[in-house]
Every structure is written in structure tokens, then in C-alpha cells.
């Protein structure tokens, strides 16, 4: 049994969770029907009325919401409250560059902080901790989201935001930071810089709270090693809340979704059918307590599976497995489906020879897709570059089912990321 921030909520029985979710869902559906034109029209079209929500499974009668809806009804048309009740706006640009915004009421901010605080306490944080927030502050939800959660726990918050890497590390040493919040790619960069500065023995880090982008178990090991901490995964998205939608406990066997606030479903992304518990598919989330901009059956595009088995930490909220990619970050190269995470897996398997800093470049020449992977050699590499390149190309072909050209670059030649790493450059989009 670990530490809980809200034990009465985090350890509720499944019956209690379902009862609470149904009550909140009925409340939410009624208010979006009354206050948001889009939901009312969609529900009318689908022939479903708030009174039809009699049990939890009735959720599947409701229409889905997508990112496109947030663009179409930008900026305020999906609010279920008056604009004057909104006290904060966050935004995300997504891959296509078009803005979407999320409005929060005071209560929404408080609940969001609870979600992040649950995560922090699950990693051992308390009012004695020193939490350095190196997620970017601003419209991105990472910085302020982690900040509020850490304040809720009563920790000493160090709001460095991202960037200015050497200064970050000096603060970490001088102030005795115990908990570090940032993206996993920035954590890798910080680890590299700590090594260059030769200050690993001055760090006092216990735990890292890393999320906002996909990362692998191999990356977890490398970060833990470089920074001397235990690395935890945290999942979230602007549309739903920000960080703290789901979080790892000490068992690190999936991320507990805050089920008192959010109802998850897994659907087949093609047929849109709800899949039975344990199936792999697209995660769909409904916010049942959020006041400002509620999301009903929001299609996250993230692919994962839900685990309803008991977790030995004592928390009862369902766990989502690490997202294995997004339906929209899947590349189709010469007709074959390729996820960047598959490439990363191969590179990390060879972490003695190459570093996990890579970039995928896809283009189209004479109507044929070209597929190149730029990857940095590890500073320790002393072998034969050509042989290494051939080995990686053959492992990638076995993993992906198609060939890619590998280019081995000198250490430090790929730009480091202070936020979310940009791994894919798809030049085909420019000409399509
Ligand atoms: O990334 C919120 C966040 C901030 C989460 C800080 C965790 C920590 P967006 O910028 O809207 O929000 O991006 C959301 O990022 O749909 C996933 O595809 C991806 N993502 C977020 N967390 C994880 C994770 C924030 N732990 C999108 N693993 C989501 C894999 C993640 N992907």
C-alpha cells in the first residue's frame, strides 16, 4: 500500500466508482444538452435525450466528439458556462498547426490540480518535497498543470519552465530538487548535460514525472540511470484537462485514469464500435465533472488498452497501458503502416552503439516514397560505421517490414528538444 492524496476516491470499490460515474454522467449530459448547441443538435440527430442515460452502458448511445469539432467551434462555442465563469485558457496546436483552446472554471482548475497531486503523491512527494517544473509554462498545459498539483501537495515549487538547461541543473543541485517534471526527451537532454557538467553526485532527485509524448521502457532506463531517479509516466491532453488524466503509481504497470472525473472507453477506430475490456484500440474519454468545456466521448486518437485487474498499490481506478502511438502519427510508407515507436524500439535496443536522438525523414521522389532515418552514434562508439549501419537497416527491415536508409551522424548533431521532440519530417505533405 502506498501513499494516497485522496484515499477515499483513489481506493473506491468498482461499484462505488460506477455509481458515481453514472450520477456525474447524467448531470453532465443534461447540462451539455441544455447549454451547448453542438451537443444538443448531435444528440437530437442521434435520437438520444439526456433522460435516456439510465445506466453507464448508455454512454455508447452518445455521439463522439473530435479535435475537428474543437476547431470548428473555436474558441468559445463548446463552453457549457458563461464566459465570465472561465478563469483560465490553455491551447494546443497539434500536428496541423490549427489552434484549439480549452476553458477552465475555478472548480475545473481545482479538480485538475487534484489529478496531478494524486500523481505526485504516488511518486512519494509530500510537503517536504522540492518539485522543479521544467515543462513549458504558458498556453501548454504542462507547466501550470504540474505547478498547481505540486502546490496542492504543499511542496516547494521551483517553476523553472523549460530551457536554459545549465541553469536548470544548477538550481537542481543548489535547491536540492527531489521531483522533476518535464518531457522525457527533455529529461534525456538534462541527463546528457548533467554528465557533461559532472554534477550527478550533487543531485538529490528521487522521482521524475515525465509525459506529454510517447517514450519507451528503454528510455525510462536511460533517464533513470542518467539522473539517478525513479521515472514515472503521466498522461494527459489539453482537450480533457492537461497532465494528470492518468498517472503511474509505484507499481508502474499502467497509468491509473482519474475515473471519478473521466470515463474511458476503447473503440475500434475504423468501425467506432466499443470494444470489450482489455482490447487494444483508440482511447475515448468523457469528462463527467468538468464544468467549463466538457468533452463527451472525445476521440483521443491515442491507441492503448485498459486493464481493470486489481493493482497492488491499492488504487482501484482502471489503468491505461502506455499509448502505443496515435492513429494520426502512423506513417504510411510505400503502403506499409509505420509507427515512430517501432523505430525507437530498434534504436534503443542498440543503445551501446547509437543514441536515442533520431529523426525520420519521409519524402516522395518520382512517385515513390523515400524513407530515411538520421541517428546519432553514441559518444562511446568505436566500431565500424558501415557494419553498424547495415546491422540497423536489417533490424529495422525485420521490425517494420520495409527498408529504410540509415544515416549515422556524429554525437550532438540533431537538435535537442526542451519540450516535445519532433521526430518525424514528412515532406510529402507539402506536395500532396
Ligand atoms: O501533452 C498534456 C501533458 C502535459 C501530459 C504534461 C503529460 C505531461 P497536449 O499537448 O494536448 O497535452 O498533447 C496531448 O500528447 O493525446 C498523446 O498523444 C500525447 N501524450 C501525452 N502524454 C503522453 C504519455 C499534453 N505519457 C497528446 N505517453 C496526447 C504518450 C502522451 N503520449
Amino acid at each position: 500500500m502506498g501513499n494516497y492524496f485522496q484515499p477515499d476516491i483513489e481506493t473506491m470499490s468498482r461499484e462505488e466508482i460506477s455509481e458515481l460515474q453514472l450520477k456525474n454522467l447524467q448531470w453532465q449530459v443534461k447540462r451539455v444538452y441544455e447549454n451547448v448547441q453542438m451537443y444538443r443538435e448531435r444528440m437530437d440527430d442521434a435520437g438520444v435525450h439526456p433522460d435516456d442515460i439510465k445506466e453507464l452502458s448508455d454512454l455508447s448511445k452518445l455521439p463522439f466528439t473530435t479535435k475537428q469539432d474543437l476547431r470548428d467551434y473555436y474558441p468559445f462555442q463548446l463552453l457549457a458556462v458563461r464566459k465570465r465563469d472561465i478563469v483560465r485558457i490553455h491551447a494546443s496546436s497539434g500536428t496541423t498547426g490549427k489552434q484549439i483552446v480549452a476553458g477552465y472554471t475555478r472548480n475545473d482548475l481545482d479538480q485538475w490540480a487534484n489529478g496531478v497531486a494524486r500523481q505526485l503523491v504516488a511518486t512519494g512527494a509530500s510537503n517536504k518535497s522540492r518539485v522543479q517544473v521544467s515543462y513549458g509554462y504558458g498556453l501548454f498545459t504542462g507547466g501550470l498543470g504540474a505547478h498547481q498539483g505540486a502546490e496542492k501537495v504543499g511542496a516547494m515549487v521551483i517553476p523553472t519552465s523549460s530551457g536554459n538547461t545549465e541553469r536548470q541543473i544548477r538550481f537542481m543541485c543548489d535547491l536540492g530538487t527531489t521531483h522533476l517534471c518535464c518531457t522525457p526527451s527533455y529529461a534525456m537532454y538534462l541527463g546528457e548535460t548533467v554528465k557533461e557538467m559532472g554534477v550527478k553526485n550533487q543531485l538529490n532527485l528521487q522521482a521524475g514525472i515525465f509525459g506529454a509524448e510517447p517514450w519507451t521502457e528503454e528510455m525510462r532506463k536511460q533517464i533513470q540511470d542518467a539522473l539517478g531517479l525513479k521515472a514515472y509516466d503521466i498522461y494527459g491532453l489539453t482537450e480533457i484537462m492537461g497532465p494528470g488524466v492518468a498517472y503511474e503509481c509505484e507499481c508502474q504497470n499502467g497509468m491509473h485514469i482519474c475515473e471519478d472525473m473521466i470515463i474511458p472507453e476503447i473503440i475500434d477506430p475504423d468501425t467506432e464500435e466499443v470494444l470489450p475490456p482489455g482490447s487494444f484500440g483508440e482511447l475515448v474519454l468523457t469528462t463527467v465533472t468538468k464544468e467549463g468545456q466538457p468533452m463527451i466521448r472525445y476521440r483521443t486518437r491515442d491507441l492503448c488498452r485498459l486493464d481493470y485487474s486489481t493493482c497492488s498499490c491499492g488504487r482501484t481506478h482502471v489503468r491505461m497501458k502506455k499509448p502505443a502511438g496515435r492513429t494520426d502519427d502512423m506513417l504510411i510508407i510505400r503502403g506499409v503502416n509505420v509507427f515512430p515507436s517501432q523505430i525507437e524500439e530498434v534504436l534503443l535496443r542498440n543503445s551501446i552503439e547509437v543514441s536515442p536522438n533520431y529523426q525520420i525523414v519521409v519524402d516522395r521522389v518520382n512517385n515513390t516514397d523515400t524513407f530515411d532515418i538520421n541517428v546519432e552514434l553514441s559518444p562511446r562508439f568505436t566500431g565500424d560505421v558501415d557494419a553498424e549501419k547495415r546491422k540497423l537497416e536489417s533490424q529495422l527491415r525485420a521490425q517494420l517490414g520495409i527498408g529504410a536508409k540509415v544515416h549515422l551522424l556524429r554525437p550532438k548533431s540533431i537538435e535537442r528538444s526542451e519540450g516535445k521532440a519532433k521526430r518525424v519530417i514528412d515532406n510529402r505533405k507539402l506536395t500532396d
Side-chain angles (χ1 to χ4, degrees):
M1 289 292 228
N3 301 320
Y4 311 118
F5 179 65
Q6 292 171 299
D8 46 336
I9 295 174
E10 290 170 76
T11 63
M12 279 176 150
S13 68
R14 180 54 41 195
E15 293 69 38
E16 285 170 326
I17 294 174
S18 302
E19 203 178 306
L20 179 66
Q21 285 182 330
L22 176 61
K23 189 177 88 179
N24 288 337
L25 177 67
Q26 288 169 328
W27 171 81
Q28 188 70 289
V29 172
K30 187 166 183 299
R31 57 193 290 281
V32 297
Y33 188 82
E34 283 166 3
N35 297 304
V36 184
Q37 190 182 349
M38 180 195 84
Y39 284 120
R40 185 167 53 252
E41 286 174 0
R42 296 238 174 120
M43 285 173 62
D44 286 345
D45 287 348
V48 46
H49 188 268
D51 295 340
D52 297 331
I53 308 297
K54 297 200 171 67
E55 42 193 278
L56 266 186
S57 58
D58 291 329
L59 176 62
S60 65
K61 294 179 178 160
L62 297 167
F64 292 106
T65 317
T66 64
K67 194 156 203 157
Q68 192 55 42
D69 295 325
L70 285 153
R71 295 191 185 114
D72 293 346
Y73 294 91
Y74 172 90
F76 294 135
Q77 294 172 73
L78 294 182
L79 293 183
V81 295
R82 298 169 303 181
K83 290 187 204 66
R84 75 181 78 150
D85 298 323
I86 296 294
V87 298
R88 171 94 67 77
I89 291 289
H90 280 285
S92 105
S93 53
T95 41
T96 66
K98 272 205 186 133
Q99 289 287 351
I100 59 125
V101 293
Y104 302 73
T105 65
R106 203 169 286 285
N107 264 336
D108 293 340
L109 291 184
D110 196 52
Q111 288 190 24
W112 178 17
N114 283 339
V116 178
R118 287 178 201 171
Q119 151 86 76
L120 282 164
V121 170
T123 71
S126 69
N127 58 1
K128 297 197 194 82
S129 306
R130 297 170 189 185
V131 180
Q132 186 155 333
V133 181
S134 309
Y135 286 114
Y137 278 64
L139 288 169
F140 175 54
T141 52
L144 284 161
H147 185 112
Q148 294 160 174
E151 276 191 349
K152 192 120 219 176
V153 173
M156 180 197 291
V157 189
I158 308 161
T160 44
S161 192
S162 60
N164 219 332
T165 304
E166 287 196 11
R167 193 173 78 152
Q168 295 261 358
I169 294 168
R170 255 179 234 116
F171 267 130
M172 245 178 246
C173 298
D174 295 349
L175 306 183
T177 302
T178 57
H179 289 68
L180 171 67
C181 306
C182 64
T183 60
S185 48
Y186 194 44
M188 299 276 294
Y189 182 17
L190 284 165
E192 241 174 27
T193 316
V194 162
K195 194 164 174 205
E196 280 168 16
M197 292 167 71
V199 294
K200 188 174 170 195
N201 62 356
Q202 293 173 36
L203 296 176
N204 185 34
L205 290 167
Q206 291 162 17
I209 292 93
F210 305 132
E213 62 182 355
W215 53 308
T216 53
E217 287 303 326
E218 285 295 331
M219 234 169 130
R220 187 193 312 252
K221 281 191 214 120
Q222 293 201 0
I223 296 171
Q224 293 189 153
D225 197 39
L227 292 171
L229 47 67
K230 184 165 172 177
Y232 293 82
D233 200 359
I234 184 169
Y235 168 86
L237 58 166
T238 317
E239 301 89 309
I240 297 300
M241 184 152 90
V245 168
Y247 59 93
E248 267 184 351
C249 61
E250 66 270 23
C251 304
Q252 302 203 308
N253 188 14
M255 294 179 271
H256 292 280
I257 299 181
C258 294
E259 275 196 280
D260 51 322
M261 310 181 210
I262 295 158
I263 307 181
E265 299 168 274
I266 295 287
I267 64 160
D268 177 321
D270 298 321
T271 64
E272 299 191 334
E273 198 189 326
V274 178
L275 298 175
S279 311
F280 180 76
E282 181 181 340
L283 180 68
V284 170
L285 299 173
T286 298
T287 61
V288 287
T289 49
K290 197 178 179 196
E291 297 172 340
Q293 189 170 288
M295 285 288 124
I296 304 291
R297 302 194 84 203
Y298 182 72
R299 293 191 58 171
T300 64
R301 301 278 169 197
D302 291 316
L303 295 165
C304 69
R305 115 184 35 252
L306 297 180
D307 182 354
Y308 285 89
S309 67
T310 325
C311 182
S312 36
C313 74
R315 288 178 187 76
T316 47
H317 293 199
V318 68
R319 282 165 291 161
M320 63 181 272
K321 297 295 180 177
K322 233 179 201 325
R326 294 175 52 81
T327 53
D328 51 5
D329 74 11
M330 183 183 79
L331 291 155
I332 304 182
I333 305 173
R334 290 177 229 133
V336 178
N337 298 349
V338 174
F339 283 101
S341 57
Q342 296 174 293
I343 296 169
E344 193 161 314
E345 237 179 82
V346 172
L347 299 180
L348 286 160
R349 226 188 285 148
N350 292 282
S351 60
I352 308 280
E353 296 87 17
V354 292
S355 84
N357 295 300
Y358 69 97
Q359 222 156 26
I360 303 164
V361 185
V362 190
D363 210 333
R364 186 166 293 148
V365 179
N366 297 332
N367 293 319
T368 307
D369 292 336
T370 59
F371 180 18
D372 294 84
I373 301 171
N374 298 327
V375 56
E376 286 179 11
L377 283 165
S378 133
R380 301 184 292 273
F381 183 78
T382 50
D384 174 27
V385 176
D386 276 339
E388 182 59 29
K389 171 180 149 79
R390 281 196 301 277
K391 182 187 82 185
L392 287 174
E393 285 181 343
S394 126
Q395 289 185 12
L396 284 161
R397 179 181 285 280
Q399 172 92 347
L400 307 172
I402 58 162
K405 235 190 233 157
V406 169
H407 304 272
L408 293 171
L409 312 177
R410 273 200 303 276
K412 293 235 144 191
S413 38
I414 294 176
E415 201 189 340
R416 298 295 184 265
S417 152
E418 292 169 356
K420 301 193 194 216
K422 179 158 175 54
R423 300 289 189 203
V424 180
I425 301 171
D426 191 345
N427 292 319
R428 296 174 303 180
K429 288 191 179 129
L430 302 174
T431 49
D432 276 349

